[in-house]
Amino acid sequence: FGAVDKEGQYTAYIEAYNEIGSKGKSEGVTFNVHPDVTVKFVDADSFVDAGEGYVPEVLNEQKVHYGKAANKPADPEHKGYTFSKWEGNYSSVKEDTVIKAVYNINKYKVKFVDSVTNKELGTETVEYYSSANPPEYDVETGYAKTGYDGWDKDYKCITEDCTLYTCVGWYNDNFPIYA
């Protein structure tokens, strides 16, 4: 019995014989031969920091025998996200399949501190690449908020745990310079 190398439906017969003779052919057994299938493991199709026209990267591509399992690749990494799982069935593959990476967006702690008193003004948990909502604070007469709307760092695109300090400077309407 030779190997079948093309997809299709085939019928096989078995005939047992020896030096005395043959018992004749068995009844035919019909079977289907399926082609190998392709399994593609791709990155997620959207990230908050991805530009327009982002096309998910093919992370791994495998040819798999019909009905067999694909081997999942190593868990991918993406800045600002934690890999969660592979979405789709790759255990008994019977057709070309795309398996997509699923991530959870990371969250970061942002602490707001008064730079003069070192008193904490508040904290907030912010998703990656999102804006924090800093608390309002008063400044003494003769001073003005400086920096990033009164804070020492930009708070409109958080990418890690951070502490933001109030940022004020001396200001006089009659002598309009910051000190």
Side-chain angles (χ1 to χ4, degrees), residues 55-161:
V55 176
E57 178 183 357
V58 175
L59 303 171
N60 182 277
E61 185 172 323
Q62 303 171 29
K63 283 284 189 189
V64 179
H65 292 308
Y66 179 89
K68 299 295 181 182
N71 297 315
K72 71 176 183 168
D75 294 346
E77 295 180 5
H78 192 84
K79 184 177 179 178
Y81 295 83
T82 301
F83 176 78
S84 173
K85 65 181 181 177
W86 291 108
E87 186 175 77
N89 176 24
Y90 55 93
S91 63
S92 177
V93 186
K94 295 182 178 177
E95 61 187 358
D96 291 347
T97 303
V98 175
I99 308 297
K100 184 168 68 170
V102 176
Y103 297 84
N104 294 322
I105 194 165
N106 293 345
K107 296 180 182 183
Y108 300 102
K109 181 179 179 182
V110 180
K111 185 165 53 169
F112 304 97
V113 176
D114 184 314
S115 60
V116 175
T117 65
N118 218 26
K119 178 183 170 192
E120 187 175 300
L121 301 175
T123 60
E124 181 180 11
T125 301
V126 179
E127 287 186 349
Y128 173 74
Y129 230 66
S130 294
S131 179
N133 298 299
E136 288 293 324
Y137 66 92
D138 295 323
V139 292
E140 295 181 30
T141 303
Y143 289 87
K145 293 179 181 180
T146 60
Y148 296 91
D149 297 328
W151 298 95
D152 68 328
K153 296 180 214 162
D154 187 3
Y155 58 86
K156 295 181 181 174
C157 184
I158 300 300
T159 59
E160 62 187 352
D161 291 334

Side-chain angles (χ1 to χ4, degrees), residues 15-29:
E15 183 177 359
Y17 59 93
N18 60 21
E19 64 274 350
I20 298 177
S22 171
K23 290 277 229 172
K25 289 185 181 177
S26 67
E27 290 186 27
V29 176

